[in-house]
């Protein structure tokens, strides 16, 4: 089942998606619900931070696909600065090549604490891959960046 | 020297020679560094030589943008303090997962200890 949320490019959208996804997963185990909320929240932060006007509107989209076994969360937003797309592609490639994304996450945190990182922290995408137990990929076309986070676990039965 | 913002507070108290820092609320601002870093830069010198407890159990949520200023506070604190004890709620999923990262990082920091409650 597909659940699509249109989100204005404003920070209140992050709180809103946390509520909406929390309700959507309200009958699922807490662990699964927390992960779904966190994933949607981190993707929405990216949408709001880096999204640009699309079809004359300042909005982005979060789509949650929920089926019997698992779920995925997709973000879609226009991008005004191609460097953001390149940064996302670079960190996702690092995650893909990494044997243990949590090591990558820890290494990134160390660099951030030491003040050795310019630009976005990318901790949100790393958090989705590690704490969110998800595979992440992205695609870019017609100025729209899509990021897909596919939960690797089983979600269990809804209560 | 408390941190008071719209949704995040950190209450600092000193009792019997121990400094206690208790975080409450949530940190999900777009750039939490603007709130947390100026406060922590003022706070850290006062922790010199102290035994410090930092309690995150009443914190409802940290977004990933908050990790850096929070972990930087802990890193800076353990550089000047005698000891830093971090308390979190291991029964809360996001806290357990988030502080697992700190657990690994802090292996190189002998005077920082984490306790899951």
């Amino acid at each position: 089942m597909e659940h699509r949320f249109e989100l204005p490019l404003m920070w209140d959208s992050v709180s809103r998606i946390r509520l909406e996804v929390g309700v959507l997963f309200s009958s699922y185990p807490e662990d699964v619900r927390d992960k779904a909320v966190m994933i949607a929240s981190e993707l929405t932060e990216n949408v709001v931070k880096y999204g640009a006007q699309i079809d004359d509107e300042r909005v982005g989209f979060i789509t949650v696909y929920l089926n019997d076994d698992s779920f995925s969360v997709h973000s879609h937003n226009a991008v005004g600065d191609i460097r953001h797309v390149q940064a996302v592609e670079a960190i996702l490639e690092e995650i893909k090549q990494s044997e243990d994304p949590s090591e990558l996450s820890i290494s990134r945190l160390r660099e951030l604490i030491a003040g050795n990182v310019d630009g976005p922290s990318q901790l949100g995408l790393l958090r989705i891959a590690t704490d969110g137990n998800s595979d992440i990929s992205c695609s870019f076309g017609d100025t729209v960046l899509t990021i897909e986070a596919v939960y690797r676990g089983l979600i269990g039965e809804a209560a | 020297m408390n941190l008071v913002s719209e949704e995040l507070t950190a209450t600092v108290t000193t009792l019997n020679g121990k400094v206690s820092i208790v975080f409450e609320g949530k940190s999900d601002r777009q750039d939490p560094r603007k709130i947390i870093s100026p406060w922590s830069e003022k706070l850290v010198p006062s922790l010199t030589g102290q035994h410090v407890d930092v309690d995150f159990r009443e914190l409802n949520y940290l977004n990933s943008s908050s990790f850096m200023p929070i972990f930087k506070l802990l890193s800076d604190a353990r550089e000047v303090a005698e000891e830093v004890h971090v308390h979190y709620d291991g029964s809360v999923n996001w806290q357990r997962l988030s502080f697992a990262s700190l657990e690994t990082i802090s292996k190189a920091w002998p005077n920082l200890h984490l306790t899951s409650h």
Side-chain angles (χ1 to χ4, degrees):
Chain A
M1 192 173 291
E2 177 183 328
H3 304 267
R4 187 175 169 89
F5 304 94
E6 181 177 313
L7 301 165
L9 299 182
M10 52 197 296
W11 201 247
D12 286 353
S13 292
V14 180
S15 303
R16 186 189 137 201
I17 201 70
R18 292 171 58 75
L19 282 173
E20 300 262 21
V21 174
V23 170
L24 188 60
F25 283 79
S26 59
S27 58
Y28 286 88
E30 185 183 9
D31 178 52
V32 171
R33 182 169 63 249
D34 286 352
K35 285 183 169 66
V37 168
M38 182 274 288
I39 293 165
S41 180
E42 294 291 352
L43 287 179
T44 302
E45 288 197 19
N46 275 6
V47 167
V48 173
K49 279 180 183 172
Y50 306 113
Q53 188 167 298
I54 185 168
D55 294 336
D56 297 329
E57 288 193 84
R58 289 188 53 76
V59 294
F61 300 90
I62 291 289
T63 308
V64 179
Y65 295 92
L66 180 57
N67 61 38
D68 290 344
D69 299 323
S70 194
F71 71 90
S72 62
V73 184
H74 301 202
S75 66
H76 315 270
N77 59 277
V79 177
D81 186 342
I82 194 68
R83 286 174 298 181
H84 169 59
V85 178
Q86 292 163 345
V88 169
E89 287 173 339
I91 192 67
L92 294 190
E93 185 60 26
E94 276 193 71
I95 292 170
K96 191 176 165 187
Q97 297 297 331
S98 168
E99 287 183 10
D100 182 358
S102 62
E103 284 295 323
L104 193 59
S105 184
I106 288 160
S107 166
R108 187 79 177 173
L109 266 172
R110 285 197 179 107
E111 292 292 306
L112 285 162
I113 290 169
N116 294 336
V117 176
D118 286 327
S121 76
Q122 304 288 19
L123 286 177
L125 294 174
L126 283 162
R127 190 183 196 187
I128 291 169
T130 54
D131 299 358
N133 192 27
S134 296
D135 292 320
I136 322 178
S137 59
C138 73
S139 57
F140 181 63
D142 293 333
T143 74
V144 174
L145 174 66
T146 298
I147 301 177
E148 302 181 7
V150 180
Y151 183 60
R152 286 190 292 265
L154 295 173
I155 59 176
E157 290 186 13
Chain B
M1 190 185 298
N2 297 337
L3 168 68
V4 182
S5 70
E6 200 175 326
E7 292 172 326
L8 176 69
T9 64
T11 306
V12 183
T13 54
T14 304
L15 188 64
N16 297 329
K18 183 180 274 190
V19 179
S20 166
I21 305 168
V22 179
F23 281 87
E24 292 176 275
K26 64 178 179 178
S27 179
D28 63 355
R29 284 173 172 255
Q30 183 162 359
D31 191 355
R33 279 179 305 182
K34 287 182 180 170
I35 299 294
I36 298 169
S37 296
W39 165 76
S40 69
E41 283 166 15
K42 285 183 185 167
L43 174 68
V44 165
S46 71
L47 306 178
T48 303
Q50 302 278 351
H51 291 262
V52 181
D53 266 340
V54 189
D55 194 336
F56 293 100
R57 285 173 287 180
E58 295 301 317
L59 199 56
N60 296 320
Y61 187 70
L62 277 182
N63 63 2
S64 61
S65 303
S66 303
F67 287 179
M68 197 279 271
I70 291 286
F71 287 7
K72 177 88 165 53
L73 162 66
L74 297 174
S75 173
D76 291 348
R78 60 96 198 171
E79 282 188 359
V80 301
E82 183 72 24
E83 278 191 313
V84 178
H85 285 264
V86 174
H87 303 269
Y88 66 95
D89 187 343
S91 69
V92 176
N93 289 314
W94 76 262
Q95 289 209 9
R96 185 178 64 254
L97 293 166
S98 298
F99 286 100
S101 301
L102 184 61
E103 188 101 47
T104 305
I105 292 171
S106 68
K107 282 176 184 164
W109 302 342
N111 64 336
L112 188 140
H113 313 283
L114 282 99
T115 305
S116 166
H117 295 268

